[in-house]
């Protein structure tokens, strides 16, 4: 089947188009095969193309080293899919061939820049009725990453979010644009940090305050505002040093970062030492901030069909809309990677797979 693959890690020239990728087969009774109508790119695709996280992902792919081939190549990138169910495993009763679905495929599985992809039934959800496949493909990975950070790790939901002050650092990327809409739909007061040229988009998505990080010292600008109940950090780096001082102390306020050293530690130190180093780091930071009266947390993408069901409800009710920067045909996947690599996107880079112009 047609597919974009890599045979080694590296820069953009490692991407290769092939018509001879092995057709996916159902290995487990809870799996489905999806015909991919549209996919989209995320920063993790750039990272994986370069080999980031390879140690941890290869362990997840084959934890007992049972496979005779000890290589992950040829590897298909792409995490988001919107498409149609082609075939269902014996235990799949919730879906049937012909259903329009969307999903985010975990990074240890073969990806969606391909004509067909296999997913577990519990990773899949019915596509929002109001969206085209191209629009729908922009949301699952960023939506589930934001959902993991805000809801599962941060503890916010529709019943406890009303009136809470939420700060989102790095608000104009894929996860940021989704998170702004999500907490706004739940009634929060949202402060979005982005560059000036994204401020109109942020206001359109519902942000109450928009701070331009280029217009002066960001820390000083934010210190002039009332304290926050929740901070989502998509930026990392030096922001972590001062951002927690912006939280209300001893009130259950939480800082959640999506920029963690987990996979880098495993790449550098190996699986065992990497996991140990990661545990020591997050444990010491959590305790240090707990003594100061605030919660410090790490969050990661988590595949989840049931969470996508809830997201689809919010989309169909008009509370969350896709934010798409550009749509590329399937033949121009390398151009799409270069676009994403250029940075400062306003929303998602989407691949129209079914019309292979």
């Amino acid at each position: 089947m047609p597919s974009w693959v890599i045979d080694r890690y590296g820069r953009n020239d490692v991407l290769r188009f092939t018509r001879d990728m092995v057709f996916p087969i159902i290995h487990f009774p809870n799996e489905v095969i999806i015909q991919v109508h549209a996919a989209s790119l995320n920063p993790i695709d750039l990272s994986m193309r370069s080999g980031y996280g390879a140690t941890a992902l290869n362990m997840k792919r084959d934890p007992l080293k049972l496979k005779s081939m000890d290589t992950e190549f040829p590897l298909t990138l792409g995490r988001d899919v919107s498409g149609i169910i082609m075939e269902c495993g014996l235990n799949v009763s919730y879906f049937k061939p012909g259903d329009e679905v969307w999903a985010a495929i975990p990074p240890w599985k073969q990806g969606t820049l391909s004509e067909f992809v296999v997913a577990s039934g519990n990773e899949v959800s019915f596509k929002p009725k109001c969206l085209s496949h191209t629009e729908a493909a922009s949301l699952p990975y960023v939506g589930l990453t934001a959902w993991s950070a805000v809801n599962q790790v941060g503890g916010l939901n529709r019943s406890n979010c009303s009136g809470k002050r939420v700060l989102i650092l790095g608000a104009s990327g894929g996860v940021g644009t989704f998170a702004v809409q999500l907490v706004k739909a739940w009634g929060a007061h949202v402060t979005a940090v982005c560059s000036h040229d994204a401020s109109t988009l942020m206001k359109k998505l519902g942000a109450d305050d928009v701070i331009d990080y280029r217009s002066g010292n960001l820390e000083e600008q934010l210190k002039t505002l009332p304290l926050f109940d929740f901070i989502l950090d998509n930026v990392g780096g030096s922001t972590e040093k001062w951002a927690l001082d912006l939280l209300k102390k001893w009130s259950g306020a939480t800082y959640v970062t999506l920029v963690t050293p987990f996979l880098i530690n495993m790449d550098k130190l190996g699986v065992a030492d990497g996991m140990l180093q990661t545990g020591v780091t997050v444990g010491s930071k959590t305790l240090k901030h707990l003594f100061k009266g605030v919660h410090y947390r790490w969050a990661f993408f988590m595949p989840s069909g049931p969470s996508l069901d809830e997201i689809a409800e919010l989309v169909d009710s008009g509370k969350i809309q896709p934010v798409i920067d550009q749509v590329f045909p399937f033949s121009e996947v390398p151009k799409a990677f270069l676009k994403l690599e250029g940075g400062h996107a306003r929303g998602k880079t989407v691949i129209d797979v079914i019309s292979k112009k």
Side-chain angles (χ1 to χ4, degrees):
M1 64 173 178
S3 186
W4 282 93
V5 300
I6 60 172
D7 302 301
R8 67 186 193 280
Y9 296 119
R11 299 185 70 78
N12 217 43
D13 57 356
V14 300
L15 288 164
R16 172 175 69 89
F17 179 74
T18 177
R19 295 192 176 277
D20 303 321
M21 189 62 176
V22 178
F23 193 88
I25 56 173
I26 288 174
H27 287 285
F28 300 99
N30 69 329
E31 289 182 331
V32 298
I33 294 177
I34 302 170
Q35 182 186 27
V36 181
H37 280 230
S40 78
L41 298 184
N42 298 282
I44 191 173
D45 295 305
L46 292 175
S47 302
M48 286 178 66
R49 187 199 66 193
S50 305
Y52 166 80
T55 304
L57 295 176
N58 282 338
M59 186 190 74
K60 182 71 177 170
R61 288 178 186 121
D62 188 16
L64 300 178
K65 305 278 188 233
L66 296 177
K67 291 178 185 168
S68 54
M69 290 178 63
D70 61 349
T71 176
E72 62 270 37
F73 303 115
L75 182 64
T76 305
L77 302 175
R79 310 273 50 97
D80 292 300
V81 57
S82 183
I84 292 176
I85 299 271
M86 298 301 290
E87 191 179 338
C88 297
L90 294 173
N91 287 0
V92 177
S93 56
Y94 196 56
F95 302 106
K96 64 183 186 305
D99 285 342
E100 295 195 331
V101 295
W102 64 344
I105 310 298
W108 53 87
K109 295 186 180 181
Q110 287 287 25
T112 60
L113 296 176
S114 195
E115 192 170 32
F116 297 93
V117 69
V118 167
S120 298
N122 59 5
E123 294 163 357
V124 180
S125 165
F126 290 108
K127 177 182 79 66
K129 295 180 179 64
C130 67
L131 298 185
S132 67
H133 285 295
T134 307
E135 292 169 326
S138 69
L139 286 173
Y141 188 86
V142 294
L144 287 171
T145 303
W147 190 273
S148 161
V150 171
N151 175 261
Q152 289 164 303
V153 175
L156 297 183
N157 56 56
R158 68 184 67 179
S159 60
N160 70 5
C161 201
S162 181
K164 289 232 167 103
R165 288 184 51 78
V166 174
L167 171 65
I168 297 176
L169 298 162
S172 62
V175 174
T177 52
F178 187 95
V180 167
Q181 296 180 84
L182 178 62
V183 293
K184 196 65 201 169
W186 289 342
H189 179 285
V190 182
T191 300
V193 174
C194 58
S195 60
H196 176 70
D197 59 337
S199 58
T200 305
L201 171 63
M202 289 298 107
K203 287 286 186 186
K204 184 182 165 198
L205 296 179
D208 299 283
D209 295 324
V210 181
I211 308 293
D212 175 9
Y213 68 85
R214 290 174 173 165
S215 68
N217 184 305
L218 178 59
E219 182 182 356
E220 296 305 320
Q221 288 185 77
L222 290 170
K223 277 182 177 172
T224 65
L225 301 175
L227 294 172
F228 295 95
D229 299 288
F230 181 87
I231 297 174
L232 174 61
D233 188 355
N234 297 295
V235 178
S238 62
T239 55
E240 192 177 290
K241 295 189 178 89
W242 49 261
L244 286 105
D245 295 332
L246 304 170
L247 289 170
K248 296 175 184 172
K249 306 287 186 285
W250 307 107
S251 65
T254 304
Y255 166 94
V256 177
T257 180
L258 288 162
V259 185
T260 72
F262 179 59
L263 294 179
I264 293 173
N265 282 345
M266 290 176 82
D267 284 342
K268 281 184 182 171
L269 305 171
V271 174
D273 288 346
M275 289 178 80
L276 180 64
Q277 177 66 53
T278 301
V280 168
T281 303
V282 72
S284 60
K285 285 185 176 182
T286 301
L287 278 174
K288 181 179 93 173
H289 292 298
L290 199 56
F291 287 130
K292 295 179 180 176
V294 295
H295 296 289
Y296 173 94
R297 298 282 185 271
W298 286 358
F300 305 91
F301 159 77
M302 287 189 258
S304 170
S307 296
L308 279 176
D309 289 341
E310 295 195 60
I311 291 169
E313 273 182 46
L314 288 164
V315 172
D316 278 330
S317 66
K319 291 179 176 170
I320 288 179
Q321 60 191 32
V323 182
I324 296 173
D325 195 40
Q326 193 170 348
V327 179
F328 289 84
F330 193 51
S331 59
E332 294 183 0
V333 163
K335 277 190 187 173
F337 269 84
L338 288 175
K339 169 80 174 68
L340 185 63
E341 213 162 4
H344 294 289
R346 299 290 166 257
K348 290 298 297 290
T349 301
V350 177
I351 313 293
D352 182 2
V353 175
I354 202 79
S355 55
K356 305 177 195 67
K357 300 182 188 70

